[in-house]
Amino acid sequence: MDILAQLVERFVNYRSSLYSDSILDDQFTELLKLQDESNPDFVVEVASLFFQDAEKIINNIASALKQGPVDFKQIDANVHQLKGSSSSIGAGRVKNTCVAFRAYCESQSFEGCLRCLQQVRHECTLLKSKLDMLFMLEQQILTAGGSIPPIK
Amino acid sequence: MSVKMRQGGGHHHHHHQTLRAAAGDNLAKAPTAKKRNTFVQACRGWLPELLLVWVFMMMVVSAGIFWWMEAQAKVKRKEGLVGMCEMRARMLKDQFSVSVNHVHALAILVSTFHYFKNPSSIDQDTFGEYTARTAFERPLLSGVAYAERVIDLEREKFEEQHGWTIKTMERETSPARDEYAPVIFSQETVSYIESLDMMSGEEDRENILRARATGKAVLTHPFRLLGSHHLGVVLTIPVYKLKLPLNPTVEERISATAGYLGGAFDIESLVENLLGQLDGNETILVNVYDVTNSSDPLIMYGRQDQGGDTSLLHESKLDFGDPFRKHQMLCRYHEKAPASWMAIMTAVFVFVIALLIGYIMYGAAIHIVKVEDDCHKMEELKVRAEAADVAKSQFLATVSHEIRTPMNGILGMLGFLLETELNSTQRDFAQTAQVCGKALIALMNEVLDRAKIEAGKLELEVVPFDIRSILDDVLSLFSEKSREKGIELAVLVADEVPDIVMGDPGRFRQIIINLVGNSVKFTEKGHIFVKVQQVNQFKSLAKTDLESCTNGVPEKDIRGFDICPYKTLSGYEVADDRNFWDMLKRLVDDELLDSFESNLSSHGSSENVTLLVSVEDTGIGIPLCAQDRVFMPFMQADSSTSRNYGGTGIGLSISKCLVELMGGHMNFVSRPEVGSTFSFTAPFGRCKLAGCADLEVPIMADFPSIFKGMDALVIDEKPIRAAVTRYHLKRLGIRVKVVGSFGIAVEALCGRNNFTNSRLYSPDVVFIEKDTWISDEDACTRLSSLVAKQNGSASHATVILLATKISAPEIKKAATAGFAETRVMKPMRASMLAACLQQTMGIGMKRQQAKIVPTPGYCSNLQSLLQGKKILVVDDNQVNLKVAAGALKKFGAHIECASRGDAAVAMLKPPHCFDACLMDIQMPEMDGYEAARQIRLHEKEANQQSKEAPANERSCEKRRGWHVPILAMTADIIESTCDECLRRGMDGYVSKPFEVENLYQAVAKFFETNPT
C-alpha cells in the first residue's frame, strides 16, 4: 500500500514535470483520454510509431543535408511531416523545434538547418527516454495493482 | 452611465415632443405664429413698445378715474347745497308764515274788540301790553301797529277824539287827502309811528290799497325801515268792521274796511338769526331777493358782491303768502370746491400700480425670452454634446478595434518568436513583450466593451445557460491564485435558483470574473464568497439569512457548531453582515421593491427570476474617500493601489454598465481593513423546459450519475463552509448530513441522537474539514476506526479531508492519518469533487466513467453521431493516422486507414460503404485536393449510371446519389485554406490535432444534413 502510494506520487510528479518542462503538451493529454480498456496500449503504440517515423525522417534530412546542392524543399517537407506527427502526440518541444527548423528552410540557411537537425535529434531522444520512463512507472503501478491518476 | 444619459435624453425628447404637439395645437389656432408659439415669443421684437402702450393706456385710465371721482364729488356738493338751501328757504317760509298768521290773529283781535264791541275794549295801553307780551310769537316782526281808516270828512272828529293831528311820515301835519290811515295803536317798539299817516308813505299806501282790495296779508318790496334802517318789508292786513259776504267784491271790501294792521319784517336780522341757528352756516352764502319785477330783482338779504363760489348756485322759491310778490333765495358755497385729494391720490395710486405691473410684466417677458433662448441654445448644445459622446464612443470602438488587429499580429508573431530558439535574455524580452501585449489586448477589450456599451451597441444575448457551471468555471479560473494565497474561495447557489436561466452567459461570466478577480487581487487572508440567491417568494425572503441558507442545519448548538464571533465562511469579519433582505433593499429603492412585491405576488414564478449575486471578500476594503468613485472608469482607490495591485480599474465600471444593461442594479459595501461586498441584482428569463430539451449544445454540466443516492457526512464546525460543501455534493446527487463536531458525528454513526430513525447510519463518504480535523485529531482517529469497522460489515466508506491551505507538516500528518490520496484542495467544484470521488472510490468506477468525464457534453453527443459509422481516414503520416483513427474509434466509429491519396480514391470508388472521409491535404504524390477531385468525378459517373439503371440493390444504396462527405484535415486553418477546401469539392475541415469540439462541429454539420 505504502509503496504503491509512493509510486503513484512519483509518477504524478514525474508526469507533471514533463508538462512543466513543456516536453509534453495538452495534445498528449488528449491522447491519454483516447486510451481505454478496448485499446489499453494505444499511447505506447502511437509513441513507438512516432519514434520510428521520426527516426526515418531525421535520417532523410541528414542525408539531404549531406548532398551537394541542398534541396531545402525536400527538407521542409520532411520537417513538416515531423511537425505534424509531433503535434499529434503532443511532443511540444519537438514541435517547437520543427517550427524553427521550417523557418530556416524557408530562409535556406544551411547552418540553421544543421543546428536544428541536432536539436531535433536531441529532443527526440530526450522525449523517448522520458516517455520510456513514464511508461515504465505506469507499468509498475499497474502491476502493483494501483490505478493511474487522471491528469487534472 | 451613458445608458442612463441616453435614457434621460430620450425622456427629454419625449417631453420636447409633447411641447411641440402643444405648439402645434396653437399653430392651428393662430396660423401666423411661428414654431415657438408663446405670446411672449410672438411679440418679442416690440416689447418696449408694448410697455409704452400699456403706460399710456394706464395714464388714460387713471385720468378717467380722476374725472369720474371729481364728478361724483361735484354732484355730492351740489346735493349738499340744494339740501341746505331748500332747508333754509323752508324754515324762513315757516317762520314767516307763523308771524303772518299771528298778525292775522291780531287783526281779528282788533276787529273783534275794537269794532264789534261798543265801546271799544282796546285802547293803546291794552294793545301795547298785549303785543309786548305776545312779541315772542312774532320773532320776525320788529313791531306791529294798527292804523284806522279815516276819511277826510271824519278827520276833524277823529283828531278831536284822539287829541292829536294826523301827521305824515315826515312828522308834519298831514295835508288834506281823501283818506288817512293814522296809527292809533302801536307796539311799544314802534311807538314812534303813532299818529303817523301810513297812507303818506309810498310803500305803505300801496300796501294798504292792495290789502283792502284783496283782504289778504300783503307785503311791500324791501326798503330801509324807519328807525332801524335795516332792509325790511312791511306786512299789511286789512281789518273789516263788518262781516263780509262769502265772495265780496272789491268795493264791498273797501267799504267794509275799518283799518289796517301792519308789521315790519326786519328781513336782514331775521335771516341772520335763522341762519345762525343752522349748521353749515359758514360754508354757504345766502341771498334773498324780491323778484316781483323779474328784470330788476331787489335784494332783501345778503350782499350782491359777496364773492364766494359763483360757479355753483341754487335758487329756492320763497312763498311768503303774498301772491303779488315773488321772492327767491339764492345759495352758493362760501369757498370754491377744494381740490379732491382723494381722487388725485386714487388716480396716482392706480397709475403707479399699473406702471409697476407693466414693468414687472415687461421684465418677466424679457426674462422669459432670454430663458427660452438660453434653453434653446442649451438644447442645441446638449444635442451636440450627445452627438459628440456617441462619436467618442464610436471612435473608441473603431480605434480599439483597429488597434486590436495589429496587436493580434504582434502577439502572434511574438508567439512564433518564442517558439524559435532564443537565448534566455531574448526569451525574457520576448516573454515580457508578450505579457505586455496581452495586458494591452485585455485593456483594449475592456475599453471596447465600455465604448460599445456607451455607444449602445452592446446587445445582450438571450440564451439558456447554467449559472452553476459558469460559477464553477470562474472558480476554476481563480482556484490557482486563491490556493497560492491560502484564501478560501467558495460559491453557494441557493436551491431555489433554477438550473437553467435565459440570459447572456458571457456577460454574466464577465461580471463575475471582474468581481471575483478584484476580490482575489485585494484579499490576502480570509475568504471570498460568491452567493447567488433568488429574489423571489417575498414572504420567505424576509427571513432568509445566512442561517436559513444552511437549511440543513437548523439547530447549531445541538450539533456542536462553534460559536464564532463572525458567522462567515472563514470566520473573518466581513463588511456587509446584513442579511439578504437588507441587501436587496439597499440595491433597489422602495418603489422598485413595491413593484417587485406586486410582481411576485401576481406571477411569482412565471417568466422572470431576479437573482441577487453577492461577492464577499475579507480584503483590504475600499477607503471611504474613494467609495463614491468606485464605479468610475480608470479610478482606483488611489494611485498607489494601481502600483501595488495593477489593473486599470475599468472592470468595475464595465460590470456596473453590464448589470444595468441587463436591467439590474449593482452596489457595494466596503469597510477599510475589513473587506468589501459587491452585490448586484439581475433579471433572467426562466427557461421553458420544452425549449431547453432540444438545445444543440448541452449547457448543463451533467455529472456522472453514479453518485446519485449516496450518503455523505460532512464534519465542519463552520456552518457556512459546510453549506458550501453541501451545495456541491447535492449537485452530484449525494444526500448530505452536516454535523459540527466529531462527537456528534460519532454519535450519528452509532445511530444515536435520533439521526436516522433507529437504523444504523452508514455514509458512503465522510468529508472532514481540515480545521476541524486539526483541532481534534484523536476524535478523528476514533471516527476513522469506526468507519473502518463499518467497512468490515457493509459498504466501504471513504474519508476525505477538505483543505484550503495545508502546510508541509500538516501534509505529513495527514498522510500518516491515511489522507494521502483522499485530500481535496479547495476551492471546491462539483466536477472536481466528482473526479476526486471517482479516483478515491475505486478504479472500477473510474473505468465506467472514463469515457464521459473529460468533456462530457460534446463527447456523448459525438458518440451518438459517430456510433457505427464507417469512416475512411487518409493521411501519409502514420502517427497522425493512428491518432486520428484512435480518436474516432473512441466514439464508436469503424475506421479504415489509407496512407496515400490514390488508395483513398480507389477505396471510395462507388459503390462503397463509407459514411465519411477525413483526408489530409498535404500528401506526397497525390494531395488531398486532387484525391477529392477524383473521388467526386467517380461519384458523378456512378450517379449518372444509377440514373440510367434505377433498379440498383446494393446495401449501402440508400442515398439519393453518391456524395461521400470529405473533411479536410489540416494543421493550419486559415480562411483561404478553408475556401480552397470547399472549392475543391470537400465538405469541411477539421483542425489537426483533433479537438473534440471542433470535430463535433464539423461532423455534426454534415451528419445532420445527410441522415442515414
Side-chain angles (χ1 to χ4, degrees):
Chain A
M1 190 73 177
D2 219 25
I3 301 164
L4 183 59
Q6 276 179 12
L7 257 178
V8 168
E9 193 160 346
R10 199 174 150 210
F11 171 76
V12 169
N13 288 340
Y14 185 70
R15 190 173 60 186
S16 56
S17 79
L18 291 185
Y19 280 100
S20 60
D21 292 344
S22 76
I23 289 171
L24 294 177
D25 62 21
D26 289 345
Q27 183 59 27
F28 188 77
T29 319
E30 295 285 316
L31 215 58
L32 286 177
K33 285 182 196 159
L34 296 180
Q35 177 170 294
D36 58 14
E37 289 151 310
S38 61
N39 203 355
D41 294 326
F42 180 71
V43 178
V44 179
E45 280 173 23
V46 171
S48 60
L49 204 58
F50 168 75
F51 289 120
Q52 283 170 23
D53 199 40
E55 200 180 337
K56 204 173 72 198
I57 289 171
I58 287 169
N59 287 337
N60 283 350
I61 296 170
S63 58
L65 277 171
K66 272 175 198 153
Q67 282 165 16
V70 179
D71 185 357
F72 283 106
K73 259 216 177 114
Q74 198 209 332
I75 295 172
D76 187 51
N78 276 305
V79 176
H80 177 66
Q81 187 91 351
L82 184 60
K83 188 187 153 219
S85 25
S86 59
S87 69
S88 270
I89 71 154
R93 272 161 72 161
V94 178
K95 193 185 86 185
N96 287 342
T97 318
C98 288
V99 171
F101 204 154
R102 287 193 74 183
Y104 286 120
C105 287
E106 221 162 289
S107 62
Q108 312 224 325
S109 152
F110 183 73
E111 296 287 305
C113 283
L114 263 185
R115 221 172 39 232
C116 277
L117 181 63
Q118 295 300 326
Q119 180 87 13
V120 164
R121 206 171 249 156
H122 170 70
E123 292 294 351
C124 278
T125 44
L126 182 73
L127 178 67
K128 190 162 165 42
S129 63
K130 294 272 180 185
L131 278 183
D132 283 346
M133 182 69 184
L134 190 74
F135 293 147
M136 197 188 77
L137 280 172
E138 204 175 297
Q139 207 58 40
Q140 278 177 3
I141 291 170
L142 287 175
T143 49
S147 67
I148 310 297
I151 294 166
K152 278 168 197 164
Chain B
M1 197 160 65
S2 137
V3 176
K4 262 190 208 159
M5 265 178 68
R6 297 196 124 243
Q7 278 171 352
H11 180 75
H12 180 84
H13 253 273
H14 177 72
H15 186 65
H16 194 70
Q17 272 169 4
T18 53
L19 268 183
R20 281 248 176 110
D25 276 358
N26 284 349
L27 212 69
K29 282 175 205 154
T32 50
K34 292 274 158 59
K35 178 184 137 205
R36 296 188 157 264
N37 199 2
T38 56
F39 174 75
V40 176
Q41 283 291 342
C43 46
R44 53 184 302 169
W46 26 287
L47 281 175
E49 284 86 345
L50 266 182
L51 179 65
L52 280 180
V53 167
W54 168 261
V55 168
F56 181 72
M57 260 166 59
M58 284 303 116
M59 254 161 88
V60 170
V61 166
S62 39
I65 288 171
F66 176 74
W67 288 125
W68 180 74
M69 286 186 76
E70 276 280 287
Q72 288 295 101
K74 222 174 232 172
V75 166
K76 223 173 193 171
R77 195 171 145 88
K78 186 163 183 176
E79 274 170 4
L81 185 69
V82 168
M84 283 196 284
C85 203
E86 289 293 334
M87 190 175 69
R88 276 160 180 72
R90 200 169 56 245
M91 283 189 69
L92 191 62
K93 220 169 73 187
D94 286 351
Q95 297 247 342
F96 198 87
S97 51
V98 165
S99 298
V100 169
N101 284 347
H102 206 266
V103 174
H104 229 128
L106 214 57
I108 288 163
L109 182 89
V110 168
S111 83
T112 309
F113 289 100
H114 190 59
Y115 294 108
F116 298 163
K117 284 255 171 101
N118 207 3
S120 161
S121 336
I122 300 174
D123 55 5
Q124 169 60 36
D125 294 342
T126 328
F127 189 85
E129 189 171 350
Y130 181 77
T131 51
R133 286 173 67 179
T134 57
F136 70 92
E137 295 271 18
R138 307 176 298 274
L140 305 182
L141 289 168
S142 50
V144 286
Y146 179 68
E148 201 173 39
R149 184 184 179 210
V150 179
I151 46 180
D152 198 35
L153 292 174
E154 294 170 354
R155 179 173 173 176
E156 275 170 54
K157 189 184 161 195
F158 179 83
E159 283 180 343
E160 195 180 319
Q161 194 179 344
H162 284 277
W164 37 264
T165 56
I166 297 171
K167 297 181 191 92
T168 63
M169 286 297 184
E170 286 78 33
R171 298 194 181 269
E172 288 155 10
T173 307
S174 167
R177 295 174 183 230
D178 288 354
E179 228 177 305
Y180 308 95
V183 173
I184 51 171
F185 305 135
S186 63
Q187 203 176 338
E188 269 173 87
T189 50
V190 288
S191 54
Y192 53 87
I193 61 167
E194 200 174 303
S195 77
L196 296 183
D197 178 13
M198 287 299 130
M199 295 277 262
S200 64
E202 186 68 22
E203 290 89 1
D204 293 298
R205 183 187 162 81
E206 247 173 63
N207 241 22
I208 286 167
L209 292 179
R210 215 151 44 85
R212 76 180 180 199
T214 59
K216 287 189 176 160
V218 294
L219 296 171
T220 60
H221 62 80
F223 61 97
R224 299 257 157 221
L225 287 180
L226 226 60
S228 71
H229 294 291
H230 283 159
L231 270 177
V233 290
V234 172
L235 171 77
T236 310
I237 293 174
V239 177
Y240 300 104
K241 51 190 170 206
L242 318 165
K243 281 196 173 125
L244 286 171
L246 207 61
N247 281 314
T249 59
V250 175
E251 286 75 27
E252 278 173 341
R253 279 181 197 278
I254 293 170
S255 58
T257 303
Y260 322 98
L261 196 66
F265 279 98
D266 184 350
I267 294 289
E268 219 163 349
S269 54
L270 168 75
V271 176
E272 203 82 62
N273 264 343
L274 189 74
L275 295 182
Q277 291 167 19
L278 294 169
D279 55 345
N281 193 24
E282 303 301 313
T283 55
I284 63 171
L285 288 174
V286 177
N287 283 359
V288 181
Y289 294 96
D290 182 332
V291 289
T292 310
N293 183 359
S294 59
S295 60
D296 178 26
L298 296 171
I299 191 149
M300 289 167 76
Y301 173 75
R303 284 204 308 270
Q304 194 80 47
D305 53 345
Q306 240 173 345
D309 182 11
T310 48
S311 62
L312 192 64
L313 276 174
H314 184 72
E315 196 180 281
S316 296
K317 286 261 177 282
L318 286 174
D319 181 12
F320 288 141
D322 182 357
F324 181 73
R325 295 262 166 220
K326 289 196 175 74
H327 300 90
Q328 68 175 24
M329 183 184 262
L330 272 178
C331 303
R332 60 184 190 273
Y333 277 103
H334 200 284
E335 283 167 7
K336 291 227 182 225
S340 169
W341 285 113
M342 185 68 187
I344 291 170
M345 292 289 282
T346 309
V348 168
F349 186 70
V350 165
F351 181 69
V352 167
I353 295 268
L355 206 67
L356 283 176
I357 288 174
Y359 183 73
I360 288 169
M361 301 242 306
Y362 175 75
I366 293 276
H367 190 69
I368 286 171
V369 166
K370 194 168 170 298
V371 165
E372 278 185 358
D373 282 359
D374 285 357
C375 182
H376 193 66
K377 231 182 266 171
M378 269 182 231
E379 266 169 22
E380 274 174 12
L381 285 177
K382 184 171 164 283
V383 166
R384 269 159 60 188
E386 275 171 358
D389 192 51
V390 170
K392 183 209 80 183
S393 294
Q394 276 176 350
F395 170 77
L396 265 181
T398 317
V399 163
S400 49
H401 185 79
E402 291 303 315
I403 294 174
R404 231 145 57 113
T405 317
M407 272 312 290
N408 276 331
I410 293 173
L411 279 181
M413 289 304 117
L414 277 173
F416 288 142
L417 183 65
L418 280 170
E419 282 175 4
T420 58
E421 199 179 337
L422 298 171
N423 65 34
S424 61
T425 322
Q426 287 168 334
R427 181 166 293 275
D428 183 39
F429 290 166
Q431 271 169 349
T432 312
Q434 197 180 31
V435 167
C436 291
K438 274 181 185 157
L440 181 57
I441 281 282
L443 176 60
M444 292 308 306
N445 286 344
E446 285 181 333
V447 170
L448 187 65
D449 268 352
R450 238 203 99 83
K452 264 189 191 163
I453 293 168
E454 278 182 5
K457 277 186 183 164
L458 192 92
E459 280 178 12
L460 293 176
E461 279 188 288
V462 181
V463 294
F465 69 99
D466 179 11
I467 281 189
R468 290 176 174 82
S469 64
I470 284 196
L471 288 172
D472 279 352
D473 288 353
V474 176
L475 219 62
S476 68
L477 267 180
F478 292 104
S479 56
E480 204 54 45
K481 245 184 195 161
S482 70
R483 262 181 223 152
E484 265 171 35
K485 288 189 167 185
I487 49 182
E488 185 146 12
L489 177 60
V491 166
L492 179 63
V493 181
D495 292 342
E496 72 266 14
V497 176
D499 288 332
I500 292 172
V501 293
M502 305 286 289
D504 191 328
R507 297 302 172 185
F508 181 72
R509 182 201 304 260
Q510 193 179 354
I511 295 167
I512 299 286
I513 286 178
N514 266 328
L515 294 180
V516 175
N518 253 6
S519 292
V520 170
K521 208 191 283 180
F522 295 118
T523 305
E524 298 299 334
K525 60 178 181 5
H527 69 267
I528 294 159
F529 187 24
V530 184
K531 263 181 296 181
V532 182
Q533 280 152 298
Q534 186 174 347
V535 185
N536 204 344
Q537 299 140 5
F538 167 62
K539 291 250 164 66
S540 66
L541 281 184
K543 347 172 234 186
T544 307
D545 56 5
L546 291 175
E547 265 133 294
S548 56
C549 283
T550 63
N551 39 11
V553 273
E555 303 140 344
K556 54 179 177 183
D557 291 339
I558 297 176
R559 303 207 174 176
F561 294 120
D562 72 332
I563 312 299
C564 162
Y566 305 110
K567 278 178 265 166
T568 63
L569 189 66
S570 62
Y572 282 95
E573 192 184 2
V574 295
D576 188 11
D577 51 1
R578 277 175 289 180
N579 68 21
F580 171 75
W581 190 239
D582 286 340
M583 234 149 81
L584 185 70
K585 262 189 185 160
R586 187 163 44 75
L587 271 174
V588 290
D589 42 358
D590 290 343
E591 301 155 45
L592 269 169
L593 210 63
D594 288 344
S595 69
F596 263 136
E597 284 169 28
S598 57
N599 270 348
L600 292 173
S601 55
S602 57
H603 41 85
S605 57
S606 56
E607 275 152 22
N608 274 316
V609 276
T610 302
L611 298 184
L612 172 70
V613 184
S614 61
V615 178
E616 166 187 296
D617 70 49
T618 56
I620 58 168
I622 302 166
L624 292 174
C625 58
Q627 289 199 355
D628 48 352
R629 46 170 213 264
V630 158
F631 290 125
M632 268 151 69
F634 301 108
M635 284 283 188
Q636 275 188 339
D638 55 60
S639 51
S640 68
T641 309
S642 53
R643 275 202 297 278
N644 291 341
Y645 297 98
T648 56
I650 198 175
L652 277 178
S653 98
I654 289 175
S655 301
K656 191 178 164 67
C657 283
L658 286 174
V659 166
E660 274 162 9
L661 212 58
M662 287 177 176
H665 302 264
M666 184 183 255
N667 212 333
F668 70 96
V669 169
S670 181
R671 279 155 64 196
E673 309 305 324
V674 172
S676 318
T677 303
F678 281 82
S679 40
F680 66 91
T681 57
F684 292 100
R686 233 174 241 281
C687 185
K688 303 272 180 310
L689 275 175
C692 292
D694 52 64
L695 286 167
E696 280 185 32
V697 182
I699 39 170
M700 263 184 79
D702 53 338
F703 300 109
S705 54
I706 47 154
F707 301 115
K708 251 172 212 148
M710 278 187 169
D711 278 310
L713 180 66
V714 174
I715 305 171
D716 192 345
E717 60 200 1
K718 295 215 174 77
I720 295 173
R721 195 164 56 187
V724 173
T725 314
R726 187 168 171 277
Y727 152 71
H728 288 292
L729 289 172
K730 254 183 134 178
R731 289 174 63 198
L732 297 175
I734 300 176
R735 285 198 298 268
V736 184
K737 293 208 182 303
V738 178
V739 293
S741 74
F742 285 111
I744 297 164
V746 170
E747 279 174 28
L749 286 168
C750 297
R752 272 177 271 158
N753 207 10
N754 292 339
F755 238 100
T756 46
N757 300 336
S758 76
R759 240 185 31 209
L760 204 63
Y761 177 65
S762 58
D764 300 292
V765 198
V766 178
F767 289 93
I768 302 170
E769 183 62 39
K770 191 206 81 186
D771 294 346
T772 315
W773 171 65
I774 292 288
S775 66
D776 195 357
E777 281 173 65
D778 296 345
C780 181
T781 13
R782 257 183 291 134
L783 184 83
S784 299
S785 63
L786 196 67
V787 170
K789 238 186 271 167
Q790 280 190 338
N791 280 358
S793 61
S795 64
H796 47 88
T798 319
V799 183
I800 293 178
L801 191 67
L802 300 170
T804 307
K805 56 177 171 185
I806 193 158
S807 59
E810 280 172 349
I811 290 178
K812 237 175 228 170
K813 229 193 278 176
T816 51
F819 293 124
E821 275 187 72
T822 58
R823 222 167 53 208
V824 172
M825 291 300 288
K826 289 182 180 180
M828 208 184 296
R829 275 174 293 137
S831 55
M832 189 189 79
L833 265 179
C836 173
L837 284 176
Q838 275 171 359
Q839 189 186 331
T840 53
M841 290 175 81
I843 296 158
M845 233 172 229
K846 186 211 165 195
R847 278 285 157 99
Q848 214 176 336
Q849 293 298 317
K851 286 178 186 172
I852 307 174
V853 174
T855 39
Y858 291 117
C859 287
S860 54
N861 271 296
L862 201 54
Q863 193 153 27
S864 68
L865 272 177
L866 294 177
Q867 190 73 51
K869 296 278 186 331
K870 199 168 176 190
I871 296 172
L872 179 67
V873 182
V874 188
D875 198 333
D876 64 315
N877 187 324
Q878 290 301 315
V879 178
N880 287 354
L881 200 59
K882 178 95 184 163
V883 172
L888 289 168
K889 257 184 208 161
K890 193 168 161 340
F891 297 115
H894 298 295
I895 304 298
E896 297 232 354
C897 297
S899 58
R900 294 167 63 92
D902 46 3
V905 172
M907 288 170 88
L908 284 173
K909 202 165 182 176
H912 62 78
C913 294
F914 291 103
D915 294 296
C917 172
L918 293 172
M919 192 171 329
D920 188 24
I921 290 175
Q922 284 186 335
M923 286 185 292
E925 288 165 43
M926 185 188 281
D927 69 1
Y929 296 137
E930 176 59 22
R933 196 184 63 79
Q934 289 194 14
I935 290 166
R936 293 289 177 239
L937 208 70
H938 291 307
E939 280 176 348
K940 213 172 169 186
E941 282 168 21
N943 286 344
Q944 273 171 359
Q945 279 173 19
S946 69
K947 252 185 214 162
E948 289 153 19
N952 210 338
E953 74 260 327
R954 253 160 306 224
S955 61
C956 294
E957 193 52 42
K958 285 173 197 162
R959 321 184 168 140
R960 278 144 291 186
W962 288 105
H963 183 98
V964 68
I966 302 174
L967 292 178
M969 289 193 294
T970 169
D972 45 3
I973 310 150
I974 355 173
E975 284 303 283
S976 59
T977 319
C978 171
D979 290 345
E980 185 81 8
C981 293
L982 296 175
R983 210 153 46 78
R984 301 292 185 101
M986 294 184 174
D987 298 272
Y989 69 89
V990 287
S991 64
K992 225 170 35 168
F994 286 144
E995 282 165 24
V996 176
E997 191 176 338
N998 188 303
L999 185 64
Y1000 172 79
Q1001 280 170 356
V1003 170
K1005 202 156 56 187
F1006 66 71
F1007 278 149
E1008 261 169 20
T1009 52
N1010 239 356
T1012 48

